[in-house]
Amino acid sequence: MRHNTSPQVNAGSMADIAFLLLIFFLVTTTISADKGINRKLPAECPPGQTCDTDINERNILRVIINNDDEIFVEDNIVALSDLKEVAKAFLDNNGDASCVYCNGKKDAKSSDNPNEAIISLQNGKLTSYEMYVAVQDILTQAYYELREDYAKSVLGKSANKLTEAELIKVKDAYPCLLYTSPSPR
């Protein structure tokens, strides 16, 4: 009599192979860490101290994104494409004529100088995340472009060719004073 039996594969070591493959992929795979929006938050006020500082109102540029993703700068609607130039004009204004490297219009109703200028970004509860990030990016680009101009005109170099000390000097010339908070609207 003949038996029609097919040869069988020994599956005893399959679990070992699957385990080794799992370990291999866990060890060799890199998982990219998502980064958030890079902002330095103000330091917390120590207990028992008053940390309020008087800020001249003209040194604050209020940017508000409402619930319909409309951008308001000082109660005027501004297109996203125009926001960078508005921010650069505010930061580089030189209203008190103390900034020797500024190229602004020296408007007495705008910021005194880049070290005093503050951009306050507020958003509504229903503001879309995409619009919030887009506005943050535009405002950050305004700072970077002013820093690049400073590096070229004052230091005679492109910003990506600066030494560490020169980079600190550029950041001190145009410190990023961008604060965000939820809108009261």
Side-chain angles (χ1 to χ4, degrees), residues 35-167:
K35 294 183 180 178
I37 298 173
N38 187 14
R39 288 287 166 255
K40 183 177 181 181
L41 299 176
E44 188 175 343
C45 185
Q49 290 187 5
T50 304
C51 295
D52 294 340
T53 57
D54 291 330
I55 299 171
N56 191 335
E57 196 63 33
R58 75 181 195 170
N59 287 323
I60 301 173
L61 180 69
R62 287 179 176 28
V63 179
I64 299 172
I65 312 168
N66 69 7
N67 292 332
D68 298 323
D69 286 348
E70 295 172 319
I71 302 168
F72 289 85
V73 176
E74 304 298 333
D75 297 325
N76 297 318
I77 294 180
V78 174
L80 183 63
S81 58
D82 298 332
L83 183 60
K84 180 170 39 171
E85 292 307 315
V86 169
K88 285 173 65 175
F90 173 77
L91 294 167
D92 206 33
N93 179 54
N94 197 19
D96 64 0
S98 65
C99 179
V100 295
Y101 53 84
C102 293
N103 299 314
K105 295 180 180 179
K106 297 182 177 152
D107 182 8
K109 295 179 182 176
S110 191
S111 70
D112 290 332
N113 59 60
N115 290 303
E116 300 291 327
I118 296 171
I119 298 178
S120 171
L121 175 60
Q122 297 178 326
N123 62 287
K125 291 181 181 179
L126 300 176
T127 300
S128 71
Y129 184 74
E130 291 79 17
M131 180 57 83
Y132 181 78
V133 171
V135 169
Q136 283 265 353
D137 287 345
I138 291 292
L139 294 175
T140 302
Q141 284 176 14
Y143 278 103
Y144 285 159
E145 286 182 14
L146 288 171
R147 288 175 177 175
E148 178 72 29
D149 293 344
Y150 175 85
K152 287 179 181 175
S153 65
V154 175
L155 302 174
K157 295 181 178 181
S158 177
N160 59 358
K161 295 181 180 180
L162 298 174
T163 65
E164 197 67 34
E166 291 170 331
L167 186 59

